[in-house]
């Protein structure tokens, strides 16, 4: 089969008038009789669309009306992922080939209506709209007794004048088809916390903080800080010292369980000084004992069985005053 195909192609090329081009493509055009789609060069040779967008546009144009062309439907058909397909659909939408709008059906359900226009510029100029014909297979025709040999039509590369530049398609206004916003896959990063600073950076705090930062390489050889790094990180260590943190505690927090290898020692120290900052020590007011209110329990009177508050059982005030009132 491959040999016959090569012989027929060689014979067709030999019949071309004039010399063949030394490089470039040579078209062998065989007329289609069924299952074909007419695609304009404004789409197939678009200068601003990517190859993925052109391919998806040609594929959508070849599908019959009612076929699902969503991102997930196209991703299940092609090897490109959903991200590349979504970007290609946005390109087609930006150049007017594709329109996606949200409409409400009679039953109240919201659906996405996708419309593909094969000539966006002609649609804006009031071109005639042709109803798409469903792609159906032609009726079987009985084969003749003798099958005719296939005719191979070869497009001759005759010299033609350079074509005039075709007008660029006029973009469709955004009001007619609002773009579909694809949510970002990554959440926005939270703002970084600033390096802590003491209430007052005294000379004593500055000297002790500088000594701690400069001596970190003695405890972890990876933490080699420059003079500029030490000067920038001094306020963070001073904030720890102001909160009564011991120098050994600061060294342990900055040198234990370091990532291997540490690419940016100054950033690691700054992050730990900010995130692991201890709270200030509580003062005398925070450590004061909590005052509790004494609650006197209820008792039942032994004389009249009434309830009254007292620390021990006995008689209520009325029963205790009753003999005095009788004597009077």
């Amino acid at each position: 089969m491959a040999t016959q195909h090569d012989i027929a192609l060689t014979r067709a090329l030999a019949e071309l008038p004039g010399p063949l081009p030394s490089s470039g493509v040579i078209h062998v055009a065989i007329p289609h009789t069924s299952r074909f789609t007419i695609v304009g060069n404004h789409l197939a040779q678009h200068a601003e669309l990517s190859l993925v967008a052109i391919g998806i546009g040609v594929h959508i144009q070849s599908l019959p009306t009612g076929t699902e062309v969503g991102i997930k439907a196209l991703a299940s058909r092609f090897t490109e992922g959903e991200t590349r397909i979504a970007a290609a659909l946005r390109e087609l939408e930006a150049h007017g080939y594709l329109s996606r709008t949200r409409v409400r059906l009679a039953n109240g359900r919201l659906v996405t209506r996708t419309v593909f226009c094969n000539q966006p510029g002609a649609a804006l100029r009031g071109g005639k709209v042709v109803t798409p014909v469903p792609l159906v297979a032609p009726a079987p025709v009985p084969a003749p007794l003798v099958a005719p040999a296939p005719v191979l039509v070869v497009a001759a590369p005759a010299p033609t004048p350079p074509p005039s530049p075709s007008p660029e398609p006029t973009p469709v206004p955004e009001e007619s088809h609002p773009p579909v916003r694809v949510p970002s896959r990554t959440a926005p990063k939270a703002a970084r916390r600033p390096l802590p600073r003491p209430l007052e950076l005294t000379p004593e705090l500055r000297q002790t903080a500088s000594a701690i930062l400069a001596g970190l390489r003695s405890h972890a050889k990876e933490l080699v800080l420059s003079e500029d790094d030490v000067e920038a990180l001094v306020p963070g260590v001073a904030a720890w010292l102001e909160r009564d943190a011991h120098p050994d505690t600061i060294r342990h927090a900055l040198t234990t369980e370091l990532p291997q290898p540490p690419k940016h020692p100054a950033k690691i120290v700054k992050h730990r000084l900010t995130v692991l900052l201890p709270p200030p020590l509580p003062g005398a007011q925070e450590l004061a004992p909590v005052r509790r209110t004494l609650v006197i329990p209820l008792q039942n009177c032994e004389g009249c069985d009434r309830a009254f508050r007292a620390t021990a059982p006995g008689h209520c005030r009325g029963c205790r005053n009753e003999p005095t009132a009788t004597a009077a």
Side-chain angles (χ1 to χ4, degrees), residues 178-314:
V180 179
R181 298 183 179 271
V182 179
S184 176
R185 295 181 179 270
T186 58
K189 296 182 178 180
R192 295 185 178 180
R193 296 168 54 184
L195 184 70
R197 294 182 175 275
L199 298 178
E200 182 181 0
L201 186 56
T202 60
E204 293 78 7
L205 288 177
R206 178 183 293 274
Q207 181 179 358
T208 306
S210 301
I212 293 175
L213 291 172
L216 289 179
R217 57 185 178 181
S218 302
H219 302 271
K221 60 181 181 180
E222 300 89 351
L223 295 182
V224 179
L225 303 177
S226 63
E227 292 185 0
D228 294 339
D229 294 337
V230 172
E231 186 66 23
L233 297 174
V234 159
V237 180
W240 282 58
L241 295 173
E242 190 180 53
R243 300 190 177 190
D244 294 337
H246 196 271
D248 293 339
T249 304
I250 301 176
R251 295 190 189 95
H252 183 269
L254 298 180
T255 58
T256 56
E257 298 181 0
L258 292 175
Q260 297 297 330
K263 297 182 179 180
H264 305 284
K267 292 183 178 180
I268 296 175
V269 175
K270 180 180 178 181
H271 175 73
R272 295 195 174 189
L273 288 175
T274 305
V275 177
L276 303 179
L277 179 66
L281 291 177
Q285 296 180 355
E286 290 81 359
L287 297 178
V290 180
R291 297 181 179 180
R292 297 181 179 180
T293 304
L294 180 61
V295 179
I296 302 176
L298 289 174
Q299 307 288 345
N300 290 334
C301 180
E302 297 179 357
C304 60
D305 201 22
R306 293 181 180 178
F308 67 100
R309 291 190 179 275
T311 56

Side-chain angles (χ1 to χ4, degrees), residues 22 76 98-99 119 133 155 174 185 243 254 266 275 288 293 302 310:
S22 58
S76 62
L98 190 68
S99 172
Q119 296 188 49
V133 180
E174 296 184 358
R185 295 181 179 270
R243 300 190 177 190
L254 298 180
V275 177
T293 304
E302 297 179 357

Side-chain angles (χ1 to χ4, degrees), residues 120-167:
L124 288 179
R125 294 190 297 269
K128 183 179 179 180
V129 179
V130 181
T131 305
V133 180
L135 299 178
V136 295
V141 180
L145 296 178
V146 179
V151 179
L152 193 63
V153 180
V154 181
T160 57
S164 59
S166 58

Side-chain angles (χ1 to χ4, degrees), residues 2 7 20 43 62 70 97 102 121 137 158 182 185 225 252 282 321 328:
I7 294 174
L20 295 177
L43 174 60
S62 67
Y97 289 96
R102 298 283 289 176
V182 179
R185 295 181 179 270
L225 303 177
H252 183 269
N321 296 336

Side-chain angles (χ1 to χ4, degrees), residues 10-21:
T10 305
R11 184 182 305 171
L13 294 176
E15 296 177 358
L16 288 176
L20 295 177

